[in-house]
Amino acid sequence: MTHLFINIKELIQVREQHITKVSGQEMSVLPTIKNAYLLIENDKISDFGEMKNAPNADKITDCTGKMILPSWCDSHTHIVYVGNREQEFVDRINGLSYEEIANRGGGILNSAKRVQNSSEEDLYNESAERLKEIISQGTGAVEIKSGYGLTVDAELKMLRVIKKLKDNFNIPIKSTFLGAHAFPEKYKDNKQAYIDLIINEMLPKIAEENLAEFVDAFCETGYFSVEDTEKIILAGKKYGLIPKIHVNQFTTIQGIEMCVKNESLSVDHLEVMTDEDIKMLKNSKTMPVALPSCSYFISIPYTPARKMINEGLPIALATDFNPGTTPSGNMNFVVATACIKMKMTPKEAINAATINGAYAMNLADEVGSITKGKRANFIVTKEISSYNFIPYSFGSNLIDEVYLNGEKVDF
Ligand code: NIG
Ligand code: FE
């Protein structure tokens, strides 16, 4: 079955040659074809080009006035949770900090209690609703973390829910084990015992059931030290898990150096960065991931993306969708906020939210650009004047249709 999209005002992020990421100045190159066609064969992109060369096909969709771009690749989410943390939101408005709330037993431990007390079915149902919502907002590949379980059983429950989402939704989902998200109350005075639990009990079970591809830790003052994080990375690597690490959200503790040394696929957050941290990332395989809607929601600094790109680094953009610091999985908002608050150009932001996001999930062979052979996961916009209009109209929904594996998604 072939499906031809014709009269596309502009086909965005067209890559004839397979690439895995763009860095530094390359980030300001966003190849497009104006007045284009796109041919889908079954679930894959099979051809594209200028309208004058359009072939025949079984089915034709006219896109006059509309643009097509690859689906957003959201490489950092925590969408498996139950309930919400609205009260903490109000507490922050009334003057409490994220840290003060966490020290009162709120924060991650608040969500962990709810996940521990919920059935796998309820957890699945709530998470599936969030996944449907982000698909409708244009996300076509996503990474999902555990980390609100914090017991052997509850971490496994979260990871099984992620597995079930993979089974039931036809979108690439990557699963990350984040047992090292916070220390449970009972390990407050014996942190090493919780790290031992992660390494000796959680990891072997996860590996046995093949429940995760990546391993993560919250490497931060008051959470997991650089040394703790390295132990967890090395233990995860023994089971073939690739590190993707939360680091430099509130403080810089030389975690980036350790993550790069251990060939982490990504380092995420990076709201506070020293020159040394930036230097460490140069010429490495580690993708820096910025999460601007987290900065927006809890009023912390934005990742210095402008400086990092000027220094030649790549940047990926992701949502961090979670109940505490970012209760939103809207990649359109992330792209707009990166432009508005981080001074990324629309070209850079679109690259960061597509091909570089795909890299940060090890999915660049499958998604992230309009390239022959890649999955036909893409967004058809409403009629818009240019792609700059997408971040410019930051509050509007400009998505007309979403396609996954060549099939139109019904919302
Ligand atoms: O990525 N920083 C660590 N983890 C999450 C927040 C977790 C929470 O508050 O529930 C984040 O922002
Ligand atoms: Fe996160």
Side-chain angles (χ1 to χ4, degrees):
M1 153 84 180
T2 52
H3 187 169
L4 182 70
F5 295 77
I6 59 166
N7 299 322
I8 304 162
K9 181 166 175 176
E10 197 161 355
L11 182 62
I12 300 162
Q13 186 63 304
V14 174
R15 302 282 177 175
E16 297 274 354
Q17 302 301 326
H18 175 68
I19 55 159
T20 56
K21 63 173 174 177
V22 283
S23 310
Q25 285 183 355
E26 296 161 356
M27 287 196 69
S28 55
V29 179
L30 183 69
T32 71
I33 302 174
K34 291 195 167 135
N35 195 20
Y37 75 86
L38 174 67
L39 183 69
I40 305 307
E41 199 167 338
N42 302 320
D43 58 346
K44 299 275 184 327
I45 296 169
S46 77
D47 199 9
F48 49 80
E50 292 175 25
M51 254 325 277
K52 62 177 193 274
N53 301 320
N56 283 326
D58 302 330
K59 183 175 172 191
I60 292 182
T61 298
D62 184 12
C63 296
T64 300
K66 301 172 183 179
M67 302 199 178
I68 289 184
L69 68 153
S71 296
W72 304 126
C73 297
D74 189 353
S75 66
H76 182 138
T77 81
H78 311 244
I79 63 170
V80 174
Y81 63 86
V82 279
N84 64 63
R85 306 229 298 267
E86 284 167 302
Q87 188 51 48
E88 295 179 9
F89 168 64
V90 177
D91 291 343
R92 262 199 317 278
I93 295 170
N94 285 325
L96 287 185
S97 68
Y98 181 78
E99 196 184 356
E100 284 163 337
I101 291 167
N103 291 342
R104 294 198 314 188
I108 296 167
L109 297 184
N110 178 351
S111 291
K113 210 177 296 156
R114 292 167 198 257
V115 167
Q116 287 159 10
N117 293 331
S118 77
S119 69
E120 191 170 316
E121 194 186 350
D122 288 347
L123 189 57
Y124 174 82
N125 289 338
E126 276 204 31
S127 309
E129 283 311 309
R130 287 182 202 107
L131 185 56
K132 279 185 212 156
E133 184 190 24
I134 64 171
I135 289 171
S136 76
Q137 292 167 336
T139 294
V142 65
E143 179 261 16
I144 310 174
K145 299 174 196 298
S146 70
Y148 291 123
L150 309 183
T151 64
V152 178
D153 286 350
E155 282 295 310
L156 287 170
K157 179 165 64 183
M158 288 190 75
L159 291 165
R160 288 187 191 121
V161 165
I162 300 174
K163 185 154 193 268
K164 204 159 150 202
L165 294 169
K166 285 188 196 187
D167 293 343
N168 294 348
F169 286 80
N170 203 356
I171 122 173
I173 296 176
K174 291 282 187 160
S175 174
T176 301
F177 169 53
L178 175 56
H181 199 187
F183 288 97
E185 190 60 31
K186 78 176 212 209
Y187 293 97
K188 211 171 65 202
D189 299 318
N190 188 2
K191 293 185 167 179
Q192 189 52 46
Y194 184 60
I195 295 169
D196 290 344
L197 185 78
I198 292 174
I199 294 175
N200 300 328
E201 294 200 39
M202 294 184 188
L203 272 169
K205 292 208 168 78
I206 290 161
E208 196 183 302
E209 283 188 50
N210 199 10
L211 289 173
E213 284 94 337
F214 302 130
V215 60
D216 193 351
F218 188 14
C219 183
E220 184 57 67
T221 309
Y223 291 82
F224 293 81
S225 68
V226 175
E227 211 188 1
D228 298 339
T229 305
E230 188 165 34
K231 278 189 200 151
I232 290 158
I233 288 179
L234 294 175
K237 277 191 169 187
K238 284 203 188 121
Y239 296 101
L241 304 188
I242 298 165
K244 269 171 81 64
I245 306 294
H246 282 74
V247 66
N248 285 44
Q249 182 174 8
F250 301 110
T251 56
T252 57
I253 52 174
Q254 271 130 33
I256 291 182
E257 183 178 351
M258 182 278 295
C259 291
V260 170
K261 186 182 89 193
N262 285 298
E263 296 183 312
S264 298
L265 179 60
S266 71
V267 283
D268 302 42
H269 273 287
L270 319 179
E271 287 88 344
V272 287
M273 291 289 278
T274 63
D275 289 345
E276 192 60 20
D277 290 326
I278 293 179
K279 203 169 116 204
M280 287 299 154
L281 284 163
K282 281 187 189 166
N283 304 315
S284 79
K285 293 194 174 128
T286 303
M287 176 64 71
V289 179
L291 309 164
S293 42
C294 171
S295 300
Y296 175 82
F297 188 71
I298 61 167
S299 302
I300 59 173
Y302 288 87
T303 304
R306 186 68 273 139
K307 182 168 183 202
M308 291 162 72
I309 295 170
N310 290 351
E311 299 243 1
L313 296 185
I315 293 273
L317 289 167
T319 63
D320 200 16
F321 195 172
N322 77 75
T325 66
T326 325
S328 160
N330 191 335
M331 281 294 284
N332 307 283
F333 180 77
V334 165
V335 167
T337 308
C339 295
I340 298 163
K341 293 292 182 186
M342 290 158 60
K343 299 278 176 278
M344 289 173 71
T345 64
K347 288 184 170 81
E348 289 170 337
I350 292 171
N351 273 319
T354 55
I355 189 67
N356 284 359
Y359 178 95
M361 293 185 271
N362 255 350
L363 280 173
D365 289 348
E366 250 184 87
V367 289
S369 63
I370 304 293
T371 301
K372 287 179 198 169
K374 282 198 179 181
R375 275 192 199 232
N377 288 13
F378 57 89
I379 296 167
V380 182
T381 69
K382 293 181 180 159
E383 293 192 21
I384 55 175
S385 42
S386 85
Y387 58 73
N388 295 332
F389 196 73
I390 299 172
Y392 166 82
S393 320
F394 70 92
S396 304
N397 174 14
L398 299 174
I399 295 178
D400 191 32
E401 290 178 342
V402 165
Y403 284 80
L404 291 179
N405 309 299
E407 280 178 30
K408 191 174 142 189
V409 178
D410 289 324
F411 305 132

